[in-house]
Amino acid sequence: MDTGGNFLPIIAALPFVGALIPGVMIRAGRTACATYTFMASALAFILLMLSAPAVFRGEVLQFQLEWLPMLGLNVNFMLDGLGLLFAGLILGIGMLIILYARFYLSREDPMGQFYTYLLLFQGAMVGIVLSDNILLLLVFWELTSLSSFLLIGYWKHLPEGRQGARMALTVTGLGGLAMIAGMLILGSIVGSYDLSVILQHKELIQASPYYLPALILILAGCFTKSAQFPFHFWLPHAMAAPTPVSAYLHSATMVKAGLFLMARMWPVLSGTPEWFYIVATTGLITMVLGAVIALFKDDLKALLAFSTVSHLGLITMLLGFGTEAAAIVAVFHILNHATFKAALFMSAGIVDHETHTRDIKRLGGLRHLMPVTFVIVTIAALSMAGIPPLNGFLSKEMMLEEASHTAWLSNPWILPALATLGALFSVAYSFRLVAHVFLGPKRDDYPAKPHDPAFGMWASPAFLVVLVVLIGLMPNLIAGPLVDITAAAVTGGHPHAHISHWHGLVPAFWMSVAAILGGALFLSLHGSLERGWNAAPRPEAKVIFDAITRASTRASHWLTDTLHNGSITRYGAIFAAAITAAGLFAWFESPMSAPTREMLPINAIMAIGWVLLVISTGCIIAFHRNRILSLVLLGVIGLAVSMAFVYFSAPDLALTQISVEVVTIILLLLALNFLPGRTPVESGMPRRLRDAVIAGATGLAVGGLTYAILLRDFAAESISAYHLANSYKGGGGKNVVNVILVDFRGFDTFGEIIVLGIAALVIYALTKSVLRGPGGRWLLNWGPDDDEAGDRHPLMMVVVTRVIMPIALMVGAYIFLRGHNAPGGGFIAGLIVAIALLMQYMASGFAWAEERQRYHYHAMIAAGVMTAAVTGMGSWLAGRQFLTSSYGYIHIPPIEEFEWATAMAFDTGVFITVVGAVMLALHSLSSMSRRTGEQVNIHPMDVDPGRGAAPTDGKEA
């Protein structure tokens, strides 16, 4: 291995970076947009060519960068012969497509958008062929499905375009999911997800009992992507895309991804009967079926699409043979097919562009009107038919030679005969393409007057046709070295391709003669054959797919409507029943080990607390329809849980629990103000009994599980010992809980404050939405169920809260500062300060308090999250991982030496976010109160002795 692959990540990244250009450069004109798009692909191609000499010397270039090493996901790239061939085709033909599209797309088509999609797709394909990590490959694999969806559905105004995009995404997406499972199995067998490692363990993989499941799942992904039977139907429907997309997908990119992966995994998966019969048989069926269907298609692009299906089957069949010689032929035909098929698709686009039709029956005689296009199509079609001396002839002869030596189910005739039949139909539809479109007399009923297009449109297919001829005439000089190094990468050996026009009077020669003569005969009988084809009953893959899609949609609607009907009770019942059933199944299937721990002694305090907890819980069940009483009981339960935390020496949890309980009770009281005091009876006795049984069973199951777990040692060693040992020397704090939150599990805490901020913003948005809708009109007419006190903001409460405010802030600061070494921290301190602010709002009203607010709560949430994020990114400056804290000791005379940790800055972000989120939720719920038109105080209290009487000058909120 050679590690000099520093260009590889740049090559993979350039198309993605280039995708940012077209949307901007389209403002400078279509030519500028195409030019800069071309430059992105060209630069990547140049870097690839700079790396090519090392590959031709037999080196394998590598680039390795750890990303998520614990998961085995690393940014590893590899360039060998196989990667060079495919990357060269992707980037080289991509440049030709960019040039062609500049002249093909009309002014009404958003060219910038097209080129953006094209480069995204190109980048995903380059990523696939250069990846040296199967997890990274899977990321790029799914990106091809998504970006091809955008390309195929580019003409959004066409229903067939939208349907073709959905079909392609559905089929290839499902295959991709299967392949993910197969790749994970493969990685687990080897113990590594790096391809360069996996490819060295053929014996280990094939000896594993999981070889066959992994093989089937991986091949499912390959077959769906490369349109192999029975998944072949999506590819012809993708022709609804613009012709540049069809040319790119069918020649060098998406449909070749499956072939690439089969070739890449060939060293470790091939050579078994399972591989031969699955891959070779599927390829053979696809080859023959695609060729037969192609002969009877009247749409130019449909004919070419099914011809692509047939040739993909041919290559798949060769890879399935599992021999070195067949692998060489497969590699050679991948190159040849890319040249003539891209030229043919672009030529079909030219015909459509100039005549305004792709219907073969409305064409004919175009050689007189479009001579340049006629020459290009004729050469490319003859190559596709396998006519000497063109490149398609060479690989077709080599394919027939390999087929003639391969037996299927010990029968030496079945496979050669079917391969010859497939070649025969290939000749027939290739001849038909030339004869029925370009030969014959000129017509006077073309939809538009045909003529050859400008040079810019036919330059790309002409260049490819030149390659078709040159490779055909000088195969060993032009293609031989590339085929050798590619075949070496596929087989893992040192093969040498013997490419020749004449192999003697071998069976392959007579098979080829039979295919050419039979193809010409079938063309002459096309009319009769077509009438028989149209009259014959046959299943239509699209009809079957549509039926399955409709049935799946109906089933999903039924399931969703049945289970997801908006009833929280039903959701809870289903979830609880499912979890309990699964737990019971596991309980009875696996015998429980004997307890390894003794129960702690139960003292009077614990017993009393437990009894109070049970009584409170039972009272909630009994009196749950009284909302205020239920809320009070919830508070009692929360307090009991807090006391339990204190008893078990968990002061941080106790402080957090008490603070959360206070904040929650206040906010819920504000929300319940707008609901009736009692919950109405909505369910009958049978349903309540059912729910009681489910709830009781679930409670007993969870209680039993907890009891069993607490009496036994864990299966894996607890991580608590690590945290205790490294809390101070690693995180600089003696409070292990706080160090876990801000250091060891800082990323979790960072995600939690983001979720908290999002929750507050959602409450704010929902409240605004309610106030603008029917709910707002309802609130205008709302009135309390019971009489309200005349003194809603009493003097005593105002005085007490004013006195408490500075004390609470001081306590909050104290709790915050001590949190790294003693119970406390930013989260608890934020809740304490939020409670102090909530008390001011409760005492003097929202309007009075809001007028004294200096900072917007939205900004506080953003500032808190950004503070935490910047603190985490600061560790990168020291070359450490995100959110790795540092600490040291500072001595500022006359203050005693004290510790300073970066975790404090992170905790500051947590503190600010918590305060902002709680207060924004209060602001949102209070806005509903003001919507009701209630009077709010201008002054801090309703009855002020200094003013002598209650104010009469209220104002509406």
Side-chain angles (χ1 to χ4, degrees):
M1 293 286 182
D2 191 298
T3 57
N6 293 330
F7 283 155
L8 300 185
I10 302 175
I11 295 171
L14 273 171
F16 292 109
V17 176
L20 304 173
I21 298 174
V24 177
M25 293 309 301
I26 191 62
R27 299 176 181 273
R30 291 159 57 86
T31 300
C33 180
T35 301
Y36 279 90
T37 305
F38 184 90
M39 289 171 60
S41 297
L43 183 56
F45 186 79
I46 291 170
L47 294 178
L48 182 70
M49 292 300 102
L50 291 175
S51 304
V55 179
F56 278 101
R57 291 194 299 267
E59 301 174 9
V60 177
L61 304 183
Q62 282 190 312
F63 174 88
Q64 296 180 335
L65 176 67
E66 286 191 348
W67 183 12
L68 297 173
M70 297 297 291
L71 299 178
L73 176 55
N74 299 313
V75 183
N76 292 354
F77 293 105
M78 173 177 67
L79 182 65
D80 58 2
L82 183 63
L84 180 65
L85 171 65
F86 274 89
L89 290 176
I90 293 163
L91 294 171
I93 294 182
M95 290 188 290
L96 299 178
I97 294 296
I98 291 169
L99 171 63
Y100 175 80
R102 160 62 185 87
F103 297 92
Y104 178 86
L105 296 176
S106 69
R107 294 191 175 276
E108 289 72 29
D109 294 322
M111 182 176 285
Q113 187 181 98
F114 175 84
Y115 281 138
T116 296
Y117 295 163
L118 189 73
L119 287 179
L120 287 175
F121 179 73
Q122 183 182 94
M125 281 299 307
V126 171
I128 287 176
V129 302
L130 295 184
S131 292
D132 187 27
N133 182 278
I134 57 176
L135 300 182
L136 182 65
L137 185 148
L138 291 172
V139 173
F140 288 119
W141 188 277
E142 295 306 316
L143 281 176
T144 61
S145 295
L146 295 175
S147 52
S148 65
F149 172 81
L150 298 174
L151 282 172
I152 297 170
Y154 173 74
W155 279 337
K156 307 176 187 65
H157 60 284
L158 297 179
E160 56 269 25
R162 298 194 299 271
Q163 185 186 47
R166 290 194 300 269
M167 186 181 294
L169 182 62
T170 301
V171 176
T172 61
L174 291 175
L177 292 176
M179 195 183 78
I180 289 173
M183 286 296 196
L184 292 177
I185 294 174
L186 201 64
S188 66
I189 293 173
V190 177
S192 173
Y193 292 115
D194 290 341
L195 269 171
S196 53
V197 176
I198 292 173
L199 295 178
Q200 298 174 8
H201 292 84
K202 176 178 182 177
E203 293 78 10
L204 176 63
I205 292 172
Q206 296 190 359
S208 170
Y210 299 108
Y211 165 73
L212 184 58
L215 175 66
I216 293 173
L217 291 169
I218 292 172
L219 289 178
C222 296
F223 290 167
T224 53
K225 190 73 84 172
S226 289
Q228 297 299 289
F229 177 85
F231 310 109
H232 61 285
F233 57 89
W234 73 263
L235 184 57
H237 290 281
M239 70 182 179
T243 298
V245 176
S246 302
Y248 202 33
L249 262 64
H250 288 235
S251 62
T253 53
M254 185 170 177
V255 295
K256 295 290 176 67
L259 300 180
F260 166 82
L261 191 59
M262 283 188 280
R264 175 60 81 200
M265 305 308 297
W266 194 93
V268 294
L269 297 182
S270 68
T272 64
E274 294 89 345
W275 170 272
F276 172 78
Y277 283 108
I278 295 174
V279 179
T281 304
T282 300
L284 181 62
I285 294 173
T286 307
M287 173 189 174
V288 176
L289 181 64
V292 172
I293 297 175
L295 178 61
F296 301 106
K297 288 296 178 181
D298 293 326
D299 186 300
L300 268 176
K301 288 177 67 175
L303 185 153
L304 293 175
F306 278 103
S307 75
T308 299
V309 170
S310 177
H311 281 267
L312 293 174
L314 183 155
I315 299 169
T316 300
M317 178 187 69
L318 289 168
L319 292 172
F321 287 169
T323 64
E324 185 178 275
I328 293 173
V329 183
V331 167
F332 188 33
H333 196 68
I334 287 171
L335 174 63
N336 294 338
H337 178 261
T339 54
F340 65 68
K341 187 53 62 68
L344 284 171
F345 261 106
M346 285 189 271
S347 299
I350 290 174
V351 172
D352 184 22
H353 192 272
E354 302 304 326
T355 65
H356 295 179
T357 184
R358 299 197 306 259
D359 189 347
I360 295 177
K361 292 185 175 179
R362 301 187 65 186
L363 299 170
L366 293 183
R367 76 181 187 279
H368 305 289
L369 305 171
M370 305 176 69
V372 174
T373 307
F374 167 64
V375 172
I376 293 172
V377 171
T378 300
I379 295 174
L382 292 177
S383 179
M384 181 168 65
I387 304 301
L390 304 174
N391 62 351
F393 165 77
L394 297 172
S395 52
K396 183 204 71 173
E397 290 288 297
M398 297 169 72
M399 178 274 293
L400 293 174
E401 177 67 21
E402 294 305 312
S404 67
H405 300 310
T406 305
W408 193 84
L409 290 178
S410 302
N411 189 311
W413 294 103
I414 294 177
L415 203 149
L418 290 177
T420 304
L421 183 64
L424 184 152
F425 277 97
S426 179
V427 171
Y429 66 65
S430 300
F431 284 176
R432 184 187 177 215
L433 176 62
V434 176
H436 289 188
V437 176
F438 291 94
L439 302 183
K442 290 190 294 185
R443 303 175 59 155
D444 55 5
D445 60 346
Y446 299 115
K449 185 178 181 181
H451 58 83
D452 277 319
F455 171 76
M457 188 175 287
W458 60 261
S460 294
F463 176 81
L464 291 169
V465 162
V466 170
L467 289 180
V468 167
V469 175
L470 292 178
I471 294 174
L473 296 176
M474 299 176 287
N476 293 297
L477 176 63
I478 297 177
L482 180 59
V483 172
D484 286 344
I485 63 169
T486 305
V490 173
T491 63
H494 301 281
H496 177 68
H498 301 283
I499 306 174
S500 174
H501 288 85
W502 177 251
H503 299 277
L505 299 177
V506 294
F509 171 80
W510 300 110
M511 293 162 69
S512 181
V513 170
I516 294 173
L517 295 178
L521 176 63
F522 273 37
L523 176 63
S524 65
L525 300 175
H526 181 266
S528 301
L529 293 173
E530 186 177 35
R531 286 190 293 272
W533 173 263
N534 292 333
R538 59 185 182 278
E540 285 290 341
K542 180 181 180 300
V543 175
I544 297 173
F545 174 82
D546 289 340
I548 293 174
T549 303
R550 286 193 298 269
S552 301
T553 302
R554 286 194 299 268
S556 63
H557 279 308
W558 174 84
L559 186 63
T560 302
D561 294 340
T562 302
L563 302 180
H564 194 73
N565 64 345
S567 171
I568 297 179
T569 304
R570 176 172 294 189
Y571 301 160
I574 294 172
F575 177 79
I579 294 298
T580 304
L584 290 174
F585 174 79
W587 179 278
F588 290 111
E589 280 293 311
S590 301
M592 210 54 183
S593 60
T596 57
R597 300 176 182 177
E598 295 291 336
M599 276 193 63
L600 294 176
I602 301 175
N603 56 35
I605 296 177
M606 290 179 62
I608 292 172
W610 182 81
V611 170
L612 291 176
L613 194 60
V614 171
I615 292 174
S616 300
T617 306
C619 288
I620 286 185
I621 297 173
F623 306 112
H624 72 279
R625 301 197 184 281
N626 188 322
R627 287 177 167 143
I628 298 299
L629 180 58
S630 298
L631 193 58
V632 172
L633 291 170
L634 282 175
V636 172
I637 293 173
L639 182 61
V641 172
S642 301
M643 293 301 100
F645 287 145
V646 172
Y647 181 84
F648 288 112
S649 302
D652 281 279
L653 296 179
L655 284 170
T656 304
Q657 179 70 28
I658 293 173
S659 304
V660 169
E661 284 295 328
V662 174
V663 171
T664 304
I665 293 295
I666 293 174
L667 293 178
L668 284 177
L669 278 171
L670 185 58
L672 292 179
N673 183 44
F674 302 101
L675 297 175
R678 296 187 62 84
T679 304
V681 178
E682 296 179 347
S683 56
M685 183 57 68
R687 177 174 294 183
R688 294 204 295 273
L689 289 174
R690 180 206 67 183
D691 294 343
V693 170
I694 294 175
T698 304
L700 290 173
V702 172
L705 179 63
T706 305
Y707 178 78
I709 290 175
L710 292 177
L711 288 180
R712 290 161 177 82
D713 294 326
F714 294 114
E717 184 182 354
S718 172
I719 199 174
S720 59
Y722 171 84
H723 288 153
L724 290 170
N726 292 276
S727 174
Y728 184 75
K729 65 181 182 181
K734 298 176 182 178
N735 181 2
V736 182
V737 174
N738 183 264
V739 175
I740 291 173
L741 292 176
V742 300
D743 192 326
F744 295 134
R745 301 294 296 272
F747 203 82
D748 289 351
T749 305
F750 182 59
E752 287 164 6
I753 64 171
I754 291 175
V755 171
L756 182 63
I758 291 173
L761 293 172
V762 168
I763 293 173
Y764 176 81
L766 289 175
T767 305
K768 289 292 184 184
S769 176
V770 167
L771 294 179
R772 286 195 297 266
R777 294 189 293 272
W778 178 83
L779 286 171
L780 286 175
N781 300 310
W782 177 86
D785 294 336
D786 302 316
D787 295 334
E788 293 185 323
D791 188 7
R792 295 185 300 113
H793 306 296
L795 171 63
M796 288 300 296
M797 187 170 184
V798 173
V799 172
V800 171
T801 55
R802 296 299 187 273
V803 173
I804 289 177
M805 181 70 176
I807 299 175
L809 292 178
M810 183 175 64
V811 170
Y814 173 70
I815 290 293
F816 173 79
L817 293 173
R818 76 196 293 262
H820 211 47
N821 292 290
F827 190 83
I828 299 173
L831 290 173
I832 292 173
V833 171
I835 291 171
L837 294 174
L838 283 171
M839 295 299 292
Q840 304 305 310
Y841 283 82
M842 291 175 63
S844 297
F846 187 85
W848 180 90
E850 190 177 46
E851 288 180 358
R852 287 150 183 81
Q853 173 194 339
R854 295 187 178 183
Y855 305 104
H856 291 290
Y857 301 130
H858 300 79
M860 289 182 67
I861 295 173
V865 173
M866 289 302 299
T867 300
V870 171
T871 303
M873 289 186 289
S875 58
W876 292 343
L877 301 177
R880 307 176 74 180
Q881 293 182 352
F882 181 67
L883 281 175
T884 302
S885 64
S886 300
Y887 68 96
Y889 294 89
I890 300 175
H891 183 214
I892 303 176
I895 304 175
E896 183 180 332
E897 183 180 70
F898 63 92
E899 180 188 352
W900 182 267
T902 58
M904 183 177 180
F906 179 78
D907 229 5
T908 302
V910 174
F911 170 82
I912 297 172
T913 304
V914 169
V915 175
V918 173
M919 299 312 296
L920 182 59
L922 173 68
H923 168 87
S924 304
L925 296 174
S926 297
S927 63
M928 297 177 67
S929 295
R930 289 178 290 163
R931 181 68 169 177
T932 64
E934 73 173 32
Q935 300 293 312
V936 297
N937 277 18
I938 298 173
H939 302 287
M941 62 195 78
D942 292 339
V943 179
D944 188 346
R947 298 200 311 273
T952 58
D953 54 339
K955 66 177 181 179
E956 286 193 4

